[in-house]
Amino acid sequence: MKKLVYFVSLIVVSISLVSQAACAPRTGDQKPSENPHESTSKAAETSDQASDKDSKDLVKIKVAASPQPHAEILGAVKDQLKEEGIDLEIIEFTDYVLPNIATQEGDVDANYFQHKPYLDQFNAENKTDLVSLGPVHYEPFALYPGKLKSLDDVKEGVTVGIPNDVSNQARALLLLQDLGWISLPQDKDSLELTILDIAENPHGLKFSELAAAQLPRSLDDLDYAIINGNYALEAGLSVAKDALAVEKEDSLAATIYANILATSKDRAEDPNLGKLYQALQSETVKTFLAEKYQGAVLPVQGD
């Protein structure tokens, strides 16, 4: 019996030695004391730390923008700015008031959604001191069909939806004057015109003054509506296919109503915002505008 136990023990020891030999590392392999999973974890941790370090080295800039086309245009320069040491964060707004408030109060570094006449009007009404860093692009204002589908359908008493803010309302009236539907006085600043200034209204047009963002959603209730370019885009309206009349590229509006990059007065000389503006003037953006918007958004060269 003792001999049997001895032989069984000898067999177990032999199997154990063979097993250890099979699992032992070859020359140059990982040492037995190292855990391969631990090694992988350390490598990943090192990579994450490097990534965090790179991120910390970037200067973050927060920019308020309307979703289309402004946020999309900003998105087109994110990689370019990262190469210049800037981490661009885009914060979307869907109205024309909050982005300026956020910029004035320092919640964001800049905004990109408006034209200079609107900015000037906002500053005057709200005692703010926002400034333009320069024009970026121009969105042609256009007249879109509502219940009436053709310019030839215009008749006595039709209702036209127009923006209710002064600067955009003046722009809408200039387009209606170009159509020959109304005439405006020549002795008043074009940027301050309202429906009260209309000199002649041969069709007896009625006007529905609405917040610019509401106009696309109100088309079913209006005969026609004049809509800002960004809100037309958001509503899926095409300047080329849907608009009945569009501002001319050489019109007064095209010169005055270019969309700008704006910031607070104390940030006007910020070199990082200067880099952002230069990126928005780049060939990358010009190509992006041409390919994506096909005439609905046109680049403007800064000073």
Side-chain angles (χ1 to χ4, degrees):
M1 181 67 177
K2 288 182 180 180
K3 288 184 179 181
L4 178 60
V5 171
Y6 171 79
F7 285 117
V8 170
S9 299
L10 183 61
I11 292 170
V12 170
V13 170
S14 299
I15 292 173
S16 176
L17 289 172
V18 172
S19 176
Q20 289 181 25
C23 295
R26 296 184 300 275
T27 302
D29 281 349
Q30 186 175 324
K31 296 178 181 178
S33 61
E34 289 183 340
N35 184 334
H37 298 292
E38 181 181 356
S39 176
T40 303
S41 176
K42 286 180 179 178
E45 183 178 344
T46 301
S47 176
D48 289 342
Q49 288 174 346
S51 177
D52 289 343
K53 183 178 182 300
D54 291 341
S55 179
K56 288 177 182 177
D57 289 341
L58 297 176
V59 176
K60 179 171 287 260
I61 291 180
K62 295 181 180 180
V63 181
S66 57
Q68 288 184 305
H70 306 82
E72 295 173 339
I73 297 170
L74 288 168
V77 299
K78 277 178 69 77
D79 291 343
Q80 179 179 339
L81 288 170
K82 187 166 288 187
E83 293 176 2
E84 298 185 42
I86 295 174
D87 178 17
L88 178 62
E89 180 179 350
I90 305 163
I91 302 172
E92 295 186 0
F93 288 82
T94 56
D95 79 314
Y96 281 179
V97 176
L98 293 178
N100 276 337
I101 293 174
T103 306
Q104 180 69 28
E105 294 181 352
D107 296 327
V108 297
D109 301 297
N111 68 57
Y112 176 38
F113 75 96
Q114 64 193 322
H115 48 60
K116 185 67 162 49
Y118 181 82
L119 176 66
D120 292 341
Q121 176 195 341
F122 186 92
N123 280 334
E125 293 178 354
N126 296 279
K127 296 181 171 52
T128 50
D129 60 357
L130 301 173
V131 297
S132 169
L133 294 175
V136 179
H137 77 268
Y138 163 63
E139 300 166 21
F141 236 38
L143 177 78
Y144 291 91
K147 291 184 286 187
L148 300 179
K149 306 304 180 184
S150 167
L151 294 178
D152 295 333
D153 293 335
V154 65
K155 56 188 177 183
E156 184 74 21
V158 299
T159 300
V160 181
I162 58 174
N164 62 3
D165 62 278
V166 175
S167 60
N168 282 308
Q169 185 165 128
R171 188 177 177 185
L173 295 177
L174 289 171
L175 178 55
L176 290 174
Q177 179 172 249
D178 287 344
L179 279 172
W181 287 8
I182 62 171
S183 62
L184 299 166
Q186 301 301 311
D187 59 350
K188 186 168 181 177
D189 186 343
S190 297
L191 302 182
E192 298 178 358
L193 293 167
T194 72
I195 57 174
L196 299 177
D197 297 307
I198 295 174
E200 296 180 10
N201 184 2
H203 296 292
L205 301 180
K206 296 178 181 178
F207 298 95
S208 179
E209 300 173 82
L210 299 171
Q214 294 291 331
L215 287 164
R217 296 192 287 269
S218 302
L219 280 174
D220 289 342
D221 301 317
L222 301 166
D223 295 311
Y224 304 98
I226 297 180
I227 302 174
N228 297 60
N230 61 307
Y231 289 132
L233 284 169
E234 290 172 20
L237 296 169
S238 166
V239 168
K241 298 177 182 178
D242 301 316
L244 300 177
V246 184
E247 287 172 338
K248 297 176 182 177
E249 289 188 38
D250 60 352
S251 67
L252 175 64
T255 304
I256 294 173
Y257 295 105
N259 282 215
I260 60 173
L261 180 68
T263 188
S264 56
K265 188 176 182 180
D266 61 349
R267 299 291 301 279
E269 302 300 323
D270 187 318
N272 291 309
L273 292 181
K275 290 179 181 178
L276 170 59
Y277 181 67
Q278 290 304 314
L280 290 172
Q281 289 276 300
S282 67
E283 289 300 321
T284 297
V285 168
K286 292 177 183 177
T287 301
F288 177 79
L289 297 184
E291 292 178 352
K292 184 170 182 64
Y293 301 113
Q294 300 179 352
V297 182
L298 305 172
V300 174
Q301 190 63 42
D303 297 332

